[in-house]
Amino acid sequence: MLGLGVAGVAAAPPLQRGLESFLGAASDKDPTGLTDLLPNGGGFRYYSVASSVPHRDASSYRLKIDGLVDRPTTHSLADLRALPQTRLVRDVQCVTGWRVPSTPFEGVRLSRLLDAAGVRPTARAVRFTCFDGTYSESLTLRQARRADVLVALRMQDKDLGHSHGGPVRLYVAPMYFYKSAKWLSGIELTDEVVPGYWERRGYDVDAWVGDSNGRDDEPTEV
């Protein structure tokens, strides 16, 4: 029995990594969404509102910043990696109830990209679009300038994989995770908040953990 227990402990990490890889790949090809119901590595679950999502790599990825800016810009993945990086460790909280504690994210502060593009005085909000062709999100300009809002390139000390929204996703640390749009491809400055995919289906636009969507979860670490 002791030998079996030791063998189980030794085998657990590679088995978990294999399960995570398998479920991640399966969810990419599953039009039913049933694989999204299975918990995955570190407690995460995979969600997509599109039946399939094209892959982007270092050579094909582009992030466009436009709208009410003085200098519309397109960034490659190499451009984003060359900018100063910020690391945050916060709990990830989903509005459906699951939480992944102390999750590291790394990337470029959104405020840095906005400043580089030159936000016009008439801008009041930021709209985010994704290369799945379906998902969108929005923040007020004040929210977008917070120091804990990132254009994230890494999660859990690894480059963002496709299933977790890579190679680049939004990360809004103090809000429920649906605000952290996966597969980020566009940042548009607008004169008002444009409700995103889930907001058009009844979710709160201001999605602060513990103070929105009828939930009373403890806020994520600050």
Side-chain angles (χ1 to χ4, degrees):
M1 291 293 291
L2 180 60
L4 288 173
V6 171
V9 170
L15 286 174
Q16 177 60 54
R17 288 192 295 270
L19 178 61
E20 181 176 356
S21 177
F22 169 76
L23 289 178
S27 68
D28 291 341
K29 300 178 176 63
D30 177 15
T32 69
L34 293 177
T35 52
D36 294 339
L37 303 178
L38 300 173
N40 206 286
F44 281 94
R45 298 182 181 183
Y46 293 117
Y47 293 99
S48 172
V49 297
S51 60
S52 64
V53 182
H55 285 63
R56 297 285 186 268
D57 57 22
S59 63
S60 61
Y61 179 78
R62 296 293 183 271
L63 174 62
K64 184 177 182 180
I65 302 177
D66 61 8
L68 298 175
V69 297
D70 294 326
R71 296 175 292 278
T73 309
T74 299
H75 294 279
S76 68
L77 188 57
D79 294 334
L80 296 172
R81 287 172 173 169
L83 294 171
Q85 305 290 300
T86 296
R87 188 174 193 266
L88 300 175
V89 181
R90 300 286 191 273
D91 295 352
V92 167
Q93 177 70 50
C94 181
V95 75
T96 59
W98 56 264
R99 179 187 291 250
V100 183
S102 302
T103 303
F105 280 85
E106 296 173 63
V108 182
R109 284 183 177 172
L110 176 59
S111 59
R112 177 181 293 275
L113 297 177
L114 298 181
D115 290 343
V119 177
R120 293 179 181 172
T122 53
R124 296 289 181 271
V126 187
R127 181 172 184 261
F128 306 92
T129 53
C130 308
F131 62 77
D132 67 351
T134 304
Y135 204 79
S136 64
E137 259 306 336
S138 284
L139 296 171
T140 67
L141 186 55
R142 183 176 180 180
Q143 293 166 353
R145 288 193 177 281
R146 288 177 58 107
D148 53 4
V149 177
L150 303 180
V151 171
L153 313 179
R154 291 172 60 82
M155 185 185 82
Q156 296 178 313
D157 299 314
K158 299 181 291 186
D159 290 345
L160 270 169
H162 178 77
S163 295
H164 282 302
V168 177
R169 72 178 297 160
L170 185 66
Y171 177 52
V172 184
M175 294 189 177
Y176 286 108
F177 208 35
Y178 68 87
K179 300 296 289 191
S180 297
K182 297 162 73 172
W183 305 300
L184 185 64
S185 63
I187 298 174
E188 179 188 5
L189 276 294
T190 60
D191 59 2
E192 62 181 0
V193 170
V194 180
Y197 180 90
W198 285 115
E199 287 86 3
R200 297 194 302 272
R201 290 159 174 80
Y203 282 47
D204 286 353
V205 173
D206 295 321
W208 305 107
V209 172
D211 192 29
S212 63
N213 292 281
R215 299 191 63 91
D216 59 359
D217 307 277
E218 286 296 322
T220 188
E221 298 176 33
V222 177

